[in-house]
Amino acid sequence: MSPIEVYKMLPMTNCKECGESNCMAFAAKLVNREATLPECPLLMEPKHTEAYNKLWMLLKPAVKAVEVGTGDKSVTLGGEYVLYRHEFTYFNLPSIAIDLSDEMPQEEFEARIKIADEFEYEYIGMQLSLDMIALRSTSNDPATFEAAARKATDLTEMPLLLCALTPDVMEQALSAVGNKRPLIYAATKDNWKEMADLALKYNCPLVASAPFHLDALKSLARTLTEYGVVDIVLDPGTQWDEGIGKTLDNFTILRWDAINEEEEYLGFPLLGAPIVAWTEEADDPLINEWNEAMLTSALITRYSDILVVHSVSGWSLLPLVFLRQNLYTDPRKPVSVEAGVFNYGNPNEGSPVLLTTNFALTYYTVASDIEGAKMDCYLVVVDSEGLSVESAVAGRKMTADTVAEALVTFEVGDLVNHRHLIIPGRAARLSGEIKETSGWTVSVGPLDSSGAAKFVEDNWPPKTD
Amino acid sequence: MVDKKKESLPISLDLLEALAKFQQIEFEDVELSFDELELRLSPGMVMSAPVVNTSQQIVPTVKPTQLLEAQVGIPPGEYLGKVVEVKLGATKADGGTRGRSFFIGGETAPAFYNFQAKTPNRPIIAMDVFDWGKVPLARAVKMHFREVVDDPAEWAKLCVEKFDADMINLHMLTIDSFIDDASPKSALKTVEDVLEAVDVPIAVGGCGDPKKDLEVFKVIAEATAGERILFNSVTLDMDIEATAKVVKENGHTVIAFTSMDVNKARELNRKLYDFLPKEDIVMDTTTAALGYGLDYAFTVMERSRLAALKGDPELNHPISSGSTNAWAAREAWMKMGPEWAPRELRGPIWETITAQTLLLAGVDYFMMMHPAAVQAVRTLINNLMSGKTPSEAPDWVSLKL
């Protein structure tokens, strides 16, 4: 889709109400999904309804965006445009729903919600967290399920995935928490009509489930759509061990058909259930946690939009929130940050000068470490063409010459009254040459910037400066 | 309740026991809390998703009373290109001394799109062995190799006999002028010792110095002619002609190693084609760790492979990944709060997920380090290759855990 196609349907008045200098610029932003239609006030007027509807159809994601939950912690599932991230970008992180059952002992129930709710990890300026609670009715008892659903919503604002295949059981929970827009699991070939009625009555999104029967799944999606259910999530089934290949096949086929074939009954978010890794008995639950982490990761890579996970162990959850953050980062985002010299804390002429490269992740990691340690220092960021320190040294993108040049270009000598540079441990082999080329003395810092503060504490001011 | 069946373990029990021992220690010597690591950056890296108007609802006039039929179209895999097959290692019958050899590559569809084409060759896992005992290794890795770090031949043997490595990926670090500046002759001795100790195919890596590596590769390649050793690697700043000739004339193979850049990969391959048959080239576009650039690594590999399948004649090579690089992520080795313990599991799962993500981008040859990660990724590969259709979906909804 080109900006011209979009431009032709805009009012073409260049009124600038949207904040852009003209309609063409707004069209380009729409195409890049950096702007939304309602930002054009003219377009919202009744006389432009037809154009609006056409544009909406043109710009809507191939995979429908389904909202779950209410308030600040609500999540959007799906809303995707492409199969491969380099074709554009992925938008909405797959939600991780932590598993609870309505028969769990109270203490465990509460502890698991607390872990899910409070899970937090700082990563290059972002908070990595978990998203949802999956509440399963293992009791199959309406009152028990309702009580658990109430309790869960008392304890957390996180959206719920309510899992019960018996409509009566589901209805009783919905009567209590249906106003929180939980995702209902699930409509099957046996109960679809009752579940569809519940989804319509409570205005909640609904999962269609037909594990390992793609035709049956599409049949359900089509039927539910015709029945009037708008917000649908598809569960094509998840299996570990030798079933993993078929599982990934199905997720890929569904996403391919939604995007490349514009199959409307398949253009819905996909649900993965890595919790199946717990259906197999292991001598140690560590094995189940490990398997579940692998299965979740594979499903993050292959198109799932919501994942039901049982483990609450930090070591097994951390790589998952990293992976989805990585794959859902906009690949159009540059790999590098600007080179230059940056101040941290309140540096003065006696403060240490540290060195790193302009690979974005290297830079943010180093910056967060020295900020976190509340150091007063200067950080010289060398243009390494966006390579990390180790790769830049190996690939000769950071050399003694480029370091010496950076010190001169950024006028680092004017900032301090010493000539002493602390270089990353992974650039140790450059130390002699840097000294020779730049005239600055050099000390070799730690291999990882988490040790930078301690290094400066132990070695600053340098004894031989 | 569902029937529980006995698990086939992806990581072995004695490994887990060894790992579990460290759990206690981890709890005892916790130093960092997350408040201390808190950062206050706002680099605006989070994309806001477009708001889509979902108010358009078609109200059906007649509600269906029974399920409507539908069929899912299976997308056909019609690709113009094919990844070349590269043979690693040579048996006695083929002019080498190895007990077996492997073919990698040959794909005609994206990685494990089993619905389009079967994966023709099983991706291979080579375990890293270093010729320098002082190589810095994470504690979780070192605990498995402590006895052998000073003897590359023993190290290789342990990898093959205990951890079932398909191949050995030998790194000649001591030839580095910043380490021992070891001679090509002494490097050759190490290679010969390793070839003697194990009968699997091997790869031989240099130290990253473009001149010294070539010097060493030449001596090794000539003395081991016919072995189809995988030389790791040739780079754009090496004497490409000389390196390629050393490989070709002595019946070996080579990894074309570039930064994470599709065009650089094309450029290097193109230059190599003047001197080397395509079937001798594996490409490596650099592996970055989960959390530290894996997204770039993944996308460059995925793009390269898709381009190759679309017919790009300069990218249709098997892909190699140094998944050991996962250990560059601090989360793989750093002591962290008790909520993230034990790091003896956090490390290998980090390497596993780094590798398996790239497996799904198209990697054919893995260089890996931690025995549990090797075992887990191998199990996953075997399961992906099995082509089995689950007879029945496991019931997780009523599962009592």
Side-chain angles (χ1 to χ4, degrees):
Chain A
M1 178 197 336
S2 74
I4 294 276
E5 270 178 88
V6 171
Y7 171 74
K8 283 181 186 158
M9 284 186 258
L10 290 173
M12 297 193 282
T13 56
N14 295 331
C15 71
K16 302 184 188 174
E17 288 284 319
C18 63
E20 298 304 316
S21 51
N22 53 55
C23 291
M24 191 63 200
F26 184 61
K29 286 227 158 169
L30 284 172
V31 170
N32 282 327
R33 272 77 182 181
E34 291 159 358
T36 57
L37 292 174
E39 289 171 52
C40 172
L42 277 180
L43 201 55
M44 304 312 285
E45 290 175 7
K47 64 174 172 175
H48 289 293
T49 302
E50 197 188 333
Y52 174 90
N53 286 340
K54 275 190 187 161
L55 281 166
W56 186 85
M57 286 303 288
L58 190 64
L59 292 165
K60 74 170 181 164
V63 177
K64 191 175 183 1
V66 172
E67 303 287 333
V68 182
T70 54
D72 291 347
K73 292 209 169 178
S74 69
V75 295
T76 304
L77 309 179
E80 302 300 338
Y81 296 85
V82 292
L83 194 60
Y84 304 111
R85 61 191 288 276
H86 65 264
E87 294 173 319
F88 186 38
T89 180
Y90 297 156
F91 280 96
N92 296 298
L93 291 179
S95 283
I96 296 176
I98 295 296
D99 170 56
L100 292 178
S101 94
D102 62 356
E103 291 181 299
M104 260 176 194
Q106 178 162 328
E107 208 171 302
E108 188 186 355
F109 190 93
E110 289 174 7
R112 290 175 66 86
I113 287 191
K114 194 169 148 69
I115 291 172
D117 218 22
E118 293 176 2
F119 183 99
E120 195 172 84
Y121 192 82
E122 287 271 355
Y123 169 62
I124 54 170
M126 292 176 287
Q127 290 286 353
L128 305 183
S129 55
L130 302 173
D131 318 279
M132 292 179 63
I133 296 295
L135 179 62
R136 296 182 294 122
S137 178
T138 53
S139 70
N140 206 27
D141 173 61
T144 308
F145 196 43
E146 183 204 338
R150 274 187 201 282
K151 191 161 172 193
T153 52
D154 284 347
L155 293 170
T156 177
E157 299 280 308
M158 294 174 115
L160 292 180
L161 170 70
L162 291 176
C163 308
L165 298 177
T166 312
D168 293 348
V169 176
M170 182 60 72
E171 169 135 42
Q172 189 143 343
L174 286 173
S175 70
V177 302
N179 61 341
K180 309 264 186 196
R181 207 174 152 74
L183 176 57
I184 302 171
Y185 186 100
T188 65
K189 66 177 173 30
D190 302 318
N191 69 11
W192 66 269
K193 197 163 174 303
E194 291 93 331
M195 286 297 187
D197 285 332
L198 289 175
L200 291 173
K201 179 175 173 189
Y202 292 95
N203 189 28
C204 290
L206 176 61
V207 180
S209 176
F212 300 97
H213 293 284
L214 290 185
D215 289 347
L217 184 61
K218 186 175 174 186
S219 154
L220 266 175
R222 180 181 170 203
T223 310
L224 293 173
T225 303
E226 303 281 326
Y227 202 82
V229 180
V230 180
D231 290 322
I232 297 171
V233 172
L234 305 177
D235 169 24
T238 304
Q239 205 174 67
W240 179 239
D241 290 333
E242 288 184 328
I244 178 77
K246 193 69 186 170
T247 302
L248 297 189
D249 273 2
N250 285 345
F251 276 78
T252 306
I253 290 166
L254 292 175
R255 190 49 49 97
W256 177 304
D257 281 352
I259 284 166
N260 294 336
E261 315 296 335
E262 296 178 37
E263 282 257 21
E264 63 164 320
Y265 299 126
L266 301 180
F268 295 109
L270 303 176
L271 177 140
I275 186 176
V276 299
W278 294 82
T279 58
E280 291 167 356
E281 200 169 331
D283 295 284
D284 189 318
L286 285 176
I287 302 265
N288 298 113
E289 294 184 314
W290 178 289
N291 288 341
E292 188 181 50
M294 287 180 73
L295 181 51
T296 311
S297 301
L299 288 168
I300 288 171
T301 312
R302 289 279 162 95
Y303 316 120
S304 37
D305 301 288
I306 171 173
L307 295 144
V308 183
V309 171
H310 181 72
S311 169
V312 288
S313 294
W315 69 267
S316 71
L317 291 170
L318 195 60
L320 310 181
V321 293
F322 265 76
L323 181 65
R324 66 175 182 166
Q325 195 66 51
N326 280 178
L327 294 183
Y328 280 70
T329 293
D330 189 344
R332 297 168 298 175
K333 179 179 65 72
V335 190
S336 52
V337 296
E338 211 178 321
V341 59
F342 300 94
N343 297 359
Y344 287 89
N346 298 300
N348 58 36
E349 55 186 20
S351 298
V353 179
L354 280 61
L355 181 79
T356 192
T357 71
N358 76 332
F359 179 42
L361 291 153
T362 302
Y363 168 76
Y364 286 123
T365 306
V366 174
S368 73
D369 281 336
I370 57 189
E371 282 209 339
K374 301 188 169 49
M375 289 168 68
D376 297 313
C377 65
Y378 297 101
L379 179 64
V380 177
V381 179
V382 177
D383 182 0
S384 62
E385 298 178 25
L387 289 182
S388 67
V389 173
E390 198 164 24
S391 315
V393 171
R396 279 159 290 283
K397 298 299 179 196
M398 181 165 77
T399 62
D401 288 337
T402 62
V403 172
E405 198 184 304
L407 291 171
V408 173
T409 312
F410 306 138
E411 299 173 338
V412 184
D414 295 349
L415 299 172
V416 289
N417 61 8
H418 60 83
R419 292 290 176 271
H420 191 88
L421 183 66
I422 300 174
I423 68 169
R426 291 180 201 281
R429 60 164 58 202
L430 299 180
S431 63
E433 280 181 76
I434 292 176
K435 194 171 170 182
E436 233 167 78
T437 319
S438 68
W440 287 51
T441 55
V442 171
S443 48
V444 177
L447 286 173
D448 187 88
S449 60
S450 56
K454 172 118 178 42
F455 180 85
V456 167
E457 198 184 304
D458 295 346
N459 297 286
W460 195 266
K463 291 173 190 75
T464 54
D465 199 359
Chain B
M1 275 299 276
V2 291
D3 287 338
K4 293 196 170 196
K5 71 168 170 139
K6 188 73 180 170
E7 169 98 15
S8 58
L9 301 179
I11 51 178
S12 73
L13 267 186
D14 53 334
L15 265 179
L16 267 171
E17 276 161 22
L19 294 168
K21 272 192 292 191
F22 283 84
Q23 213 164 354
Q24 196 55 40
I25 298 163
E26 181 83 24
F27 275 92
E28 282 165 7
D29 58 8
V30 171
E31 277 170 6
L32 287 172
S33 82
F34 271 80
D35 297 337
E36 292 170 54
L37 282 172
E38 203 163 293
L39 37 148
R40 275 162 284 114
L41 285 171
S42 50
M45 292 177 79
V46 191
M47 282 240 21
S48 58
V51 178
V52 178
N53 185 344
T54 52
S55 62
Q56 294 199 343
Q57 186 173 335
I58 303 146
V59 182
T61 44
V62 184
K63 287 188 173 187
T65 53
Q66 56 185 25
L67 283 168
L68 305 169
E69 280 196 21
Q71 277 195 326
V72 171
I74 306 302
E78 287 155 0
Y79 302 94
L80 298 168
K82 181 185 174 189
V83 178
V84 298
E85 282 188 321
V86 175
K87 186 182 160 197
L88 305 176
T91 59
K92 282 200 182 89
D94 303 332
T97 63
R98 304 296 83 202
R100 68 160 302 173
S101 56
F102 295 103
F103 279 98
I104 57 171
E107 291 90 345
T108 55
F112 297 105
Y113 276 34
N114 290 315
F115 58 91
Q116 294 187 329
K118 270 199 164 4
T119 308
N121 294 299
R122 181 172 66 86
I124 292 303
I125 302 177
M127 286 182 76
D128 289 317
V129 169
F130 298 87
D131 73 338
W132 186 46
K134 292 188 202 119
V135 61
L137 298 174
R139 190 175 65 163
V141 171
K142 192 148 189 182
M143 60 193 256
H144 301 287
F145 301 105
R146 194 162 280 129
E147 316 291 306
V148 296
V149 287
D150 291 314
D151 185 341
E154 285 302 311
W155 190 339
K157 219 170 170 171
L158 182 70
C159 291
V160 173
E161 288 174 5
K162 186 167 176 196
F163 304 127
D164 289 329
D166 294 319
M167 284 180 57
I168 292 300
N169 198 58
L170 180 61
H171 298 268
M172 312 302 296
L173 299 182
T174 58
I175 63 172
D176 193 326
S177 59
F178 288 88
I179 297 178
D180 291 344
D181 203 16
S183 67
K185 215 176 130 193
S186 103
L188 173 60
K189 172 79 173 57
T190 307
V191 171
E192 285 172 341
D193 288 347
V194 171
L195 286 172
E196 185 68 39
V198 298
D199 76 343
V200 299
I202 70 166
V204 172
C207 68
D209 176 329
K211 287 209 178 69
K212 183 70 181 268
D213 283 0
L214 175 52
E215 226 177 283
V216 172
F217 288 171
K218 187 165 190 293
V219 171
I220 294 171
E222 285 169 358
T224 60
E227 285 283 14
R228 284 193 81 72
I229 286 176
L230 179 61
F231 282 93
N232 177 21
S233 54
V234 58
T235 52
L236 278 165
D237 60 2
M238 284 173 85
D239 182 336
I240 292 170
E241 180 175 353
T243 314
K245 283 184 173 163
V246 162
V247 169
K248 183 174 182 222
E249 285 163 11
N250 298 293
H252 297 299
T253 56
V254 73
I255 294 177
F257 180 55
T258 60
S259 58
M260 290 185 268
D261 182 333
V262 175
N263 290 323
K264 289 264 194 293
R266 276 200 190 96
E267 182 189 342
L268 179 54
N269 290 343
R270 193 161 55 234
K271 287 181 171 168
L272 286 167
Y273 296 158
D274 290 340
F275 315 104
L276 260 185
K278 289 187 98 152
E279 290 72 20
D280 289 350
I281 304 169
V282 175
M283 60 188 266
D284 185 338
T285 50
T286 303
T287 292
L290 172 60
Y292 295 83
L294 178 64
D295 39 343
Y296 302 115
F298 172 83
T299 282
V300 169
M301 289 176 182
E302 186 173 68
R303 278 184 64 188
S304 301
R305 176 54 52 86
L306 292 171
L309 294 171
K310 281 180 186 157
D312 190 317
E314 293 170 349
L315 292 169
N316 58 339
H317 295 275
I319 300 174
S320 154
S321 160
S323 298
T324 295
N325 289 355
W327 293 89
R330 57 172 60 174
E331 285 78 6
W333 53 265
M334 196 164 69
K335 200 186 291 174
M336 292 170 31
E339 67 272 39
W340 313 108
R343 64 172 145 161
E344 281 69 23
L345 283 173
R346 209 192 319 121
I349 195 76
W350 216 264
E351 183 181 351
T352 300
I353 289 175
T354 299
Q356 77 162 58
T357 303
L358 297 176
L359 176 72
L360 296 178
V363 167
D364 302 275
Y365 178 82
F366 287 97
M367 307 179 226
M368 297 182 67
M369 189 88 236
H370 195 287
V374 169
Q375 204 175 329
V377 174
R378 182 178 29 242
T379 305
L380 175 65
I381 290 171
N382 289 340
N383 284 335
L384 282 167
M385 301 283 295
S386 77
K388 294 261 173 68
T389 301
S391 50
E392 212 176 316
D395 170 18
W396 54 270
V397 180
S398 65
L399 185 66
K400 299 199 182 191
L401 291 168

